[in-house]
Amino acid sequence: MLLIPCPNCGPRDETEFHYGGQAHVPYPENPNELTDTEWSRYLFYRENPKGIFAERWVHSTGCRQWFNMLRDTVSYDIKAVYKMGTPRPDSSSRATPETGTASTGPDSTTTGSAAPSTSTTSILSTTAPEGATK
Amino acid sequence: MSTQHLPEHPDFLWRNPEPKSSYDAVVVGGGGHGLATAYFLAKNHGMTNIAVLEKGWLAGGNMARNTTIIRSNYLWDESAAIYEHALKLWEILPEELEYDFLFSQRGVMNLAHTLGDVRESIRRVGANKLNGVDAEWLDPQQVKELCPILNIRDNIRYPVMGATYQPRAGIAKHDHVAWAFARKCDEMGVDIIQNCEVTGFLKDGDRVVGVKTNRGTINTEKVGLCAAGHSSVLAEMAGFQLPIQSHPLQALVSELHEPVHPTVVMSNHVHVYVSQAHKGELVMGAGVDSYNGYGQRGSFHVIEQQMAAAVELFPIFARAHVLRTWGGIVDTTMDASPIVGTTPVENMFVNCGWGTGGFKGTPAAGMTFAHTIATGAPHALNKPFSLERFETGALIDEHGAAAVAH
C-alpha cells in the first residue's frame, strides 16, 4: 500500500485516497474547432510512462482536496506532491505532456517553465521511506 | 549428498538460436499472444523466416501470471465473435499442437448480487444465445447444485441472486499452452529468441525496416507488437501513441487442497474470481490497482478486499492459507476491448489492450494478428478492434458489460 503525503493532512494510507489519472490535461479551449483526431486525443489518450508520472489524487476520507503528485511507476516511490494548477516541479527535466490539447493555447498550468511553487512538498532528497510501498 | 546421479535433462521443446541479421517478420513479445501469432504466421501464411523476441524468458510475464480462465460470454457481437472463435480454437488446439495442456471445460459461473446484476446477466444470456455462445441463467438453488461450497444464504452483504453459466468455458495450464505453441513454432523454423530486449526501431520515413535490440540490430519487413503492459513503451520508441494505461493486476494461490471447487466462479460485483487448479491450489484473481504501474506488484489492500469477498462467498476458504501473491501489468483501454490492427507506422502492427482478460483470447489474437501482419489488413474478426475506433467513436464498450471484473 502506498503511504501518500497529503499536502494538508500529512502521510496517510492509500485507502483514504482516490486516483484521478494523469495531471495537466486541460479541457480544450476551442472545443468546436477540434478535429475527430484531436477529440480522440483529449478523450482517450493519456501518457503512460514507465518512470516518473504526474498524476492527480484526491484525499476522499480526509480533507477531500485534490492535489498533484509525481510518482515513479516502476518503484512506486513518490517524488513530490504539489498544488493543482501549478506546473510539475521537475518540468525543466522533462517536457510537460500536451496530449490532446493540439488546438489549445498556452496554459500556465502546462507550459512547464515556471520554477517549482513554494507549496511543493518535495521528498526527492529524503531518505525516509515516505511514500514507499509497505 | 546423494550418490545417485540426476537423470538426464529431458529434450528441450525449442532451440535457443542466435538472432539472425534479418527476418521476414519480427514479433516483439514472447508471451502467449506473441507465440500464438508466430504459430499462425507459420502455419496459416507460410511465414517461417520469422523471430519472436522476448526480453526475459519465454512466457514469464502475464502468461505466467493470469488465472487461466477461458470463456466467451461477452455481451457485444464483436466481442462474442472473437472470443467464441478463440474458445473454438481452444477446443481443437490440444490435438493440433499435439500437447495436452489440460484444457478443462468445467464451466464458468458469473454471479449476480443485485437486481441490476440480474437484469444485466439475463440480457447477456440472451445476447450470448443469439451469437451462438452457450449460456444459461441459474437461480440460486441451481448455483448451489453446481458449486456446493458457495454460500447462497440471503443474510450476507451481497447475496447470490443467481448466475450466468457457460458450460464450455473453463481453465487450462497457461505455461503448457505457451510451451505447446513454442514447440510447434520451433518445429516450423521460427526463431524464439529469449533475453533479447527491443531498444528501438529503424525507420525509413514512416516505414519500419528494423528492430534495435540488446543483441544487435535485426532488419525486418514487418513488426508485430505483442507486449501487453509494455505496449506504450514500444509505441513511444516507434513514434506513436496508444490509448493504453498500464495497471498492476494481482492474483494469489492457496496451498494444495483436496478437490472442493468443481467449476469457475466469478463475481464482478464483489470483485473476486476463483477456480481450483488441477494440482489443488485455489487460484483467485483480484481487481486492478487504481494507479498506473509497471512494477508487477500492487497494493495489499486489494488482496485483502478480494479475500474478504472470497471468504464470504466460500466460507470453507476461511481456514485456507495464502501461499503466494503476485502481480502482472495489464494494458487497459477506455472501452475495455483490445486493439488488434495497423498503426500509424507502415508495416508495424499492434496487438494490445487485452487488459485483464488476454489469456482466453490467446488463440484468436494469434490467428487474427497473424492474418493482419501477413496480409497488411485485418481479419473480419479483428476489424472492429482497430486503433481508429477511438476516432470514429465505434467503441466496443465491454466495461461492466462483459461479466468480467475489470
Side-chain angles (χ1 to χ4, degrees):
Chain A
M1 187 185 295
L2 305 177
L3 185 62
I4 297 175
C6 172
N8 304 308
C9 311
R12 298 290 186 93
D13 280 348
E14 178 196 338
T15 45
E16 295 189 10
F17 298 81
H18 280 98
Y19 190 58
Q22 185 186 335
H24 309 296
V25 184
Y27 188 76
E29 269 192 6
N30 305 304
N32 293 331
E33 293 164 23
L34 294 200
T35 63
D36 287 353
T37 303
E38 288 165 339
W39 265 122
S40 88
R41 296 274 143 180
Y42 173 69
L43 289 172
F44 301 119
Y45 284 74
R46 293 292 180 270
E47 296 278 305
N48 189 25
K50 186 178 183 181
I52 305 295
F53 188 40
E55 58 193 14
R56 301 178 303 177
W57 289 83
V58 60
H59 193 183
S60 318
T61 65
C63 58
R64 297 164 66 193
Q65 299 297 303
W66 284 91
F67 59 93
N68 289 340
M69 189 158 104
L70 292 183
R71 188 178 55 90
D72 189 309
T73 59
V74 181
S75 67
Y76 302 166
D77 284 343
I78 295 163
K79 302 298 187 187
V81 294
Y82 56 104
K83 274 190 178 171
M84 302 206 90
T86 58
R88 52 186 286 177
D90 67 342
S91 51
S92 55
S93 64
R94 194 174 182 284
T96 307
E98 294 283 357
T99 306
T101 61
S103 73
T104 60
D107 179 327
S108 65
T109 64
T110 57
T111 48
S113 56
S117 141
T118 49
S119 66
T120 299
T121 310
S122 177
I123 54 173
L124 285 162
S125 57
T126 58
T127 50
E130 232 184 334
T133 53
K134 63 177 187 185
Chain B
M1 272 182 69
S2 165
T3 53
Q4 278 191 324
H5 290 290
L6 288 169
E8 288 296 308
H9 192 287
D11 287 343
F12 287 96
L13 297 180
W14 56 87
R15 299 162 291 130
N16 267 312
E18 285 298 311
K20 290 194 270 185
S21 60
S22 82
Y23 290 98
D24 294 342
V26 163
V27 175
V28 182
H33 285 212
L35 292 166
T37 301
Y39 170 74
F40 285 107
L41 276 172
K43 176 181 162 261
N44 290 359
H45 304 279
M47 293 180 70
T48 53
N49 181 33
I50 61 174
V52 178
L53 308 184
E54 167 53 50
K55 75 171 173 180
W57 62 90
L58 186 134
N62 293 349
M63 192 60 174
R65 295 158 195 267
N66 62 71
T67 51
T68 79
I69 298 169
I70 294 166
R71 60 186 178 86
S72 64
N73 55 347
Y74 280 70
L75 177 68
W76 300 113
D77 294 350
E78 298 88 347
S79 313
I82 196 166
Y83 286 108
E84 177 60 18
H85 188 81
L87 182 49
K88 289 199 169 105
L89 287 173
W90 282 115
E91 288 171 331
I92 60 166
L93 273 174
E95 193 178 342
E96 187 174 314
L97 300 175
E98 298 174 283
Y99 196 127
D100 180 12
F101 49 71
L102 299 180
F103 177 41
S104 161
Q105 291 178 287
R106 57 182 65 185
V108 167
M109 239 189 246
N110 293 98
L111 301 180
H113 299 280
T114 66
L115 285 174
D117 277 357
V118 171
R119 278 193 293 269
E120 182 271 326
S121 300
I122 292 171
R123 176 195 179 195
R124 183 161 43 76
V125 166
N128 286 165
K129 284 180 173 168
L130 288 172
N131 276 319
V133 176
D134 57 322
E136 298 166 27
W137 169 252
L138 307 178
D139 65 31
Q141 211 50 52
Q142 292 169 306
V143 168
K144 185 80 178 170
E145 279 160 28
L146 264 170
C147 187
I149 58 172
L150 254 173
N151 177 11
I152 61 160
R153 286 180 305 162
D154 60 4
N155 63 349
I156 60 175
R157 177 65 183 88
Y158 294 107
V160 175
M161 298 177 74
T164 67
Y165 185 60
Q166 183 178 19
R168 285 164 61 241
I171 56 174
K173 285 279 180 211
H174 47 202
D175 296 332
H176 289 275
V177 173
W179 301 341
F181 275 121
R183 184 178 66 169
K184 278 290 170 195
C185 284
D186 187 79
E187 279 175 15
M188 290 188 284
V190 175
D191 280 359
I192 296 165
I193 302 164
Q194 302 177 81
N195 300 309
C196 184
E197 181 168 2
V198 171
T199 55
F201 295 100
L202 296 175
K203 281 163 74 175
D204 178 9
D206 284 339
R207 193 160 54 93
V208 66
V209 294
V211 180
K212 285 187 258 182
T213 79
N214 60 348
R215 294 175 68 177
T217 298
I218 298 169
N219 297 312
T220 185
E221 289 167 26
K222 294 174 175 207
V223 174
L225 307 179
C226 287
H230 277 77
S231 297
S232 298
V233 177
L234 286 173
E236 197 180 328
M237 283 181 200
F240 66 99
Q241 273 198 312
L242 288 168
I244 294 281
Q245 297 282 284
S246 296
H247 290 274
L249 175 63
Q250 301 183 82
L252 61 88
V253 290
S254 73
E255 74 278 54
L256 307 185
H257 291 284
E258 292 294 314
V260 291
H261 186 13
T263 180
V264 181
V265 172
M266 305 180 69
S267 167
N268 190 4
H269 200 83
V270 301
H271 242 94
V272 69
Y273 34 106
V274 191
S275 68
Q276 188 169 18
H278 296 80
K279 276 187 297 183
E281 312 104 306
L282 298 165
V283 183
M284 299 184 209
V288 296
D289 281 73
S290 63
Y291 49 78
N292 289 27
Y294 284 86
Q296 290 190 321
R297 64 188 195 287
S299 293
F300 189 72
H301 67 89
V302 176
I303 295 280
E304 199 178 12
Q305 203 173 20
Q306 162 204 9
M307 293 296 287
V311 169
E312 189 166 69
L313 285 174
F314 302 92
I316 65 164
F317 289 2
R319 293 299 181 108
H321 299 97
V322 173
L323 195 66
R324 62 181 187 278
T325 75
W326 64 89
I329 313 167
V330 297
D331 42 336
T332 60
T333 59
M334 288 279 195
D335 63 355
S337 284
I339 300 165
V340 187
T342 55
T343 73
V345 179
E346 203 182 325
N347 289 350
M348 181 176 280
F349 306 90
V350 70
N351 168 59
C352 68
W354 290 84
T356 60
F359 176 69
K360 73 175 82 67
T362 301
M367 190 281 284
T368 59
F369 195 43
H371 179 98
T372 309
I373 293 171
T375 66
H379 186 277
L381 285 172
N382 68 312
K383 200 159 189 281
F385 296 95
S386 68
L387 193 51
E388 289 77 36
R389 76 176 185 270
F390 296 97
E391 288 184 27
T392 62
L395 302 177
I396 304 157
D397 187 7
E398 288 290 354
H399 253 306
V404 67
H406 284 294

